[in-house]
Amino acid sequence: MAFTFNFDIPLQTEEINDKENKDDDAKDVDLKCSDASATVPTKMKNAIEHEPLLDPLSHIENWVPETITVGALPPLLCLNESVFEKTAPELEDSEEILAKTLNQNSDLITGVYEGGLKIWECTYDLLEYIDDEGETFTGKRVLDLGCGAGLLGILALKRGAIKVDFQDYNSTVIEQLTVPNVFLNCEDDDDDDETEEQNSSPPSKRKALNASQKLLDRCGFFSGDWNSFLTLMQNKTSSPKYDIIFTSETIYNTDYYSSLHSVFCGLLAEDGIVYLATKSHYFGVGGGLHLFEKFVEQNKVFQTKYLKDVEQGLKRHVVSLTFKK
């Protein structure tokens, strides 16, 4: 199954059919990690809920959308990674992770930046699995955990989910990447056909703002470490649990297994399902599927099931977790 990437740059059209290239590159893909052996810092980033502007795209300059197509799935738009990196100095970044990752040439810095600015290979594997299964999400509550660009949650929104929450460790990732991507993809989906009333605001602008508000009513955006995120969600006055939790490339560090497992336990509905996309092993960091499986087995809460195996390059997998009956 082929992936195509279309860069919507004026007067220039480029299509890349890169599934084969991606599999070839995966042979050499590894996390470029700063101080990979370091343990998790005692002080992590406290979780916060973000309240995006109604027109977040108007506050981003020089952005270039990239179209990702996977099989019969609806096309997904995201900010192009290369352009995003080149324009990083212009972006608001209170965490200063954009400068740090560029200066250190690192895909992650433990406890500082956890890789959310890059779309990792296993995300495509999970999208491909969803396409193969023809899964839709009508009426479902979904959590995109460690969301990065947010493609999995965006797909759920486009396929009928009533609520999708996006969570990433870094607030900069949420504000500068996830939120814009959600609006790129889904704002038109929430447009209505109601007759517009005349007032002092131009109808087209009022219509756009209404669509934006409807979209935000279906979404939540959160940043911070998983333990404090779990506490934040459990302290909400109304916090129904999730039917589906998506998480991709999040088990690279064994020190995070306990907090990740706690989120699954605390936020997954009784008959819900976790979709986990991962590599067998993360060289240079230490984690991987087999170690996480062992951790899950020791805790005796979830059962795991292999759904998809990718043999090209570094071995990759899509697995599910459900509560033991």
Side-chain angles (χ1 to χ4, degrees):
M1 184 174 298
F3 303 112
T4 59
F5 297 78
N6 306 311
F7 300 90
D8 303 327
I9 303 175
L11 303 180
Q12 180 179 354
T13 302
E14 181 179 357
E15 274 194 19
I16 303 174
N17 186 332
D18 80 337
K19 175 65 165 65
E20 295 177 0
N21 292 337
K22 188 178 300 296
D23 289 335
D24 290 340
D25 293 343
K27 297 176 183 178
D28 301 317
V29 168
D30 199 355
L31 289 173
K32 292 178 289 183
C33 180
S34 175
D35 194 14
S37 62
T39 57
V40 179
T42 55
K43 183 175 178 57
M44 303 290 281
K45 294 183 185 293
N46 289 330
I48 59 173
E49 182 169 4
H50 297 257
E51 297 184 4
L53 300 170
L54 288 177
D55 56 345
L57 294 174
S58 66
H59 296 269
I60 301 178
E61 298 180 358
N62 301 319
W63 55 274
V64 176
E66 171 183 347
T67 303
I68 299 173
T69 59
V70 178
L73 296 182
L76 300 173
L77 300 175
C78 65
L79 300 185
N80 176 255
E81 186 177 318
S82 297
V83 176
F84 189 88
E85 288 182 354
K86 291 178 181 177
T87 59
E90 306 168 14
L91 301 175
E92 183 177 342
D93 177 19
S94 59
E95 298 174 301
E96 299 182 346
I97 64 169
L98 298 170
K100 290 175 181 177
T101 55
L102 290 175
N103 291 339
Q104 298 186 31
N105 189 31
S106 176
D107 289 326
L108 65 87
I109 305 171
T110 303
V112 177
Y113 165 65
E114 297 291 344
L117 296 174
K118 180 175 181 176
I119 302 175
W120 297 91
E121 295 87 355
C122 293
T123 297
Y124 298 106
D125 297 335
L126 185 44
L127 288 170
E128 197 173 33
Y129 172 79
I130 294 169
D131 178 47
D132 291 341
E133 296 298 310
E135 184 165 358
T136 60
F137 308 98
T138 303
K140 302 293 186 181
R141 293 180 56 86
V142 178
L143 172 63
D144 191 345
L145 189 67
C147 62
L151 297 183
L152 297 166
I154 289 168
L155 177 62
L157 281 171
K158 295 179 77 69
R159 282 200 158 184
I162 57 173
K163 178 70 173 179
V164 178
D165 287 332
F166 298 83
Q167 183 278 339
D168 196 90
Y169 183 71
N170 292 104
S171 60
T172 298
V173 172
I174 291 292
E175 294 170 352
Q176 300 297 338
L177 185 60
T178 313
V179 170
N181 283 346
V182 169
F183 274 76
L184 272 174
N185 283 274
C186 301
E187 191 169 14
D188 290 341
D189 295 346
D190 286 279
D191 209 355
D192 57 39
D193 297 324
E194 296 179 1
T195 303
E196 295 173 346
E197 300 176 358
Q198 296 297 323
N199 62 22
S200 57
S201 300
S204 59
K205 181 177 180 180
R206 186 169 68 255
K207 188 176 181 181
L209 291 176
N210 287 341
S212 297
Q213 186 59 60
K214 288 182 67 178
L215 174 58
L216 289 178
D217 290 343
R218 296 175 61 205
C219 299
F221 300 93
F222 304 86
S223 64
D225 71 80
W226 287 327
N227 282 329
S228 62
F229 169 67
L230 175 59
T231 300
L232 175 64
M233 298 305 287
Q234 290 178 328
N235 286 340
K236 283 180 168 289
T237 54
S238 177
S239 57
K241 295 188 176 182
Y242 298 101
D243 303 296
I244 296 171
I245 297 178
F246 289 125
T247 191
S248 177
E249 306 263 21
T250 51
I251 59 171
Y252 53 85
N253 190 329
T254 58
D255 290 323
Y256 297 154
Y257 287 1
S258 179
S259 57
L260 180 62
H261 191 271
S262 294
V263 171
F264 294 164
C265 290
L267 298 183
L268 185 66
E270 183 178 352
D271 58 349
I273 185 170
V274 176
Y275 289 105
L276 165 67
T278 179
K279 295 183 176 71
S280 291
H281 184 72
Y282 289 90
F283 296 97
V285 189
L289 179 56
H290 302 305
L291 288 175
F292 186 69
E293 274 189 300
K294 184 177 180 181
F295 181 90
V296 170
E297 290 170 0
Q298 290 173 343
N299 281 272
K300 301 178 180 180
V301 176
F302 295 100
Q303 57 188 7
T304 60
K305 179 181 179 181
Y306 278 65
L307 304 176
K308 177 183 177 69
D309 298 310
V310 181
E311 299 293 335
Q312 298 96 330
L314 293 174
K315 289 185 178 181
R316 309 192 299 275
H317 311 274
V318 175
V319 301
S320 67
L321 286 80
T322 54
F323 285 110
K324 288 186 174 182
K325 302 300 184 182

